[in-house]
């Protein structure tokens, strides 16, 4: 049997090149934790108007939501009957959808246009949150909070 001694380092003790390798490991191994909740907010928003989500892609620059919404879904919708602060799932994305819809509908008077704009705002909000989650600063915080240890080259120990 052979005994091998390995030095391990906290993230703060790594040099810049090793920190980049550690961040790369984290980006590859860590999934964005709120995709399911984002889908729940989206579904709740669409259900509120009797609309079905047909397809979606969240998190990248080409994020989109496709629904079966038509002007019929919004016929008779009144601003006075809408709740700007509606939070059906309790997730912050509810605010991105419902508050944005309310404000846009109030500004334009076009409920279908406000709905479409709220969906666009939602995809942008998810993308921005994803970018923040995978930013160096956030990754550094997560690595430090979890007290991961690394070899001198930045490989997870």
């Amino acid at each position: 049997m052979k005994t091998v001694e390995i030095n391990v380092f906290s993230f703060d003790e790594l040099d810049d090149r090793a920190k980049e390798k550690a961040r790369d490991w984290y980006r590859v191994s860590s999934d964005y934790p709120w995709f399911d909740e984002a889908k729940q907010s989206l579904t709740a928003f669409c259900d509120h108007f009797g609309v079905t989500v047909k397809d979606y892609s969240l998190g990248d620059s080409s994020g989109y939501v496709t629904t079966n919404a038509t002007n019929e879904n919004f016929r008779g919708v009144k601003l006075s009957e809408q709740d700007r602060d509606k939070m059906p799932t309790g997730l912050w994305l509810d605010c991105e959808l419902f508050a944005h819809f309310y404000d846009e509908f109030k500004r334009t008077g076009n409920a279908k246009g406000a709905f479409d704009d709220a969906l666009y705002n939602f995809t942008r909000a998810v993308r921005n949150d994803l970018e923040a989650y995978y930013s160096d600063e956030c990754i550094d915080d997560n690595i430090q909070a979890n007290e991961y240890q690394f070899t001198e080259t930045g490989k997870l120990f």
Side-chain angles (χ1 to χ4, degrees):
M1 174 167 60
K2 189 189 262 188
T3 302
V4 177
E5 189 175 312
I6 298 174
N7 293 323
V8 292
F9 301 85
S10 69
F11 184 75
D12 288 336
E13 295 172 315
L14 298 174
D15 64 28
D16 289 344
R17 187 172 178 181
K19 283 181 179 180
E20 276 306 312
K21 186 171 182 179
R23 287 183 192 114
D24 290 344
W25 160 79
Y26 189 88
R27 282 186 181 98
V28 170
S29 65
S30 175
D31 292 330
Y32 178 71
W34 299 288
F35 275 125
D36 289 341
E37 288 84 351
K39 175 72 163 70
Q40 291 170 4
S41 284
L42 173 62
T43 301
F45 179 70
C46 289
D47 287 350
H48 178 76
F49 296 103
V51 171
T52 302
V53 176
K54 292 170 61 178
D55 192 21
Y56 67 96
S57 174
L58 301 175
D60 59 20
S61 61
S62 61
Y64 65 89
V65 175
T66 306
T67 69
N68 67 346
T70 67
N71 286 330
E72 290 295 316
N73 295 92
F74 301 94
R75 191 158 292 166
V77 171
K78 296 181 175 105
L79 183 66
S80 62
E81 296 172 353
Q82 301 306 308
D83 181 0
R84 185 182 189 282
D85 300 320
K86 188 171 183 72
M87 295 284 290
T89 71
L91 187 66
W92 65 276
L93 285 167
D94 292 344
C95 294
E96 292 292 332
L97 289 159
F98 285 95
H100 192 87
F101 170 81
Y102 183 93
D103 294 346
E104 188 67 13
F105 187 27
K106 183 177 181 179
R107 190 178 70 76
T108 66
N110 179 346
K112 171 69 166 70
F115 176 83
D116 291 340
D117 200 59
L119 292 180
Y120 174 77
N121 186 64
F122 168 80
T123 60
R124 191 177 64 222
V126 171
R127 182 188 70 233
N128 290 344
D129 194 49
L130 192 67
E131 288 174 0
Y133 181 76
Y134 286 113
S135 70
D136 286 355
E137 180 182 357
C138 186
I139 288 173
D140 293 357
D141 289 346
N142 283 323
I143 287 174
Q144 291 165 343
N146 286 291
E147 299 179 351
Y148 293 118
Q149 293 185 323
F150 301 90
T151 64
E152 185 176 16
T153 62
K155 183 178 178 185
L156 181 67
F157 176 74

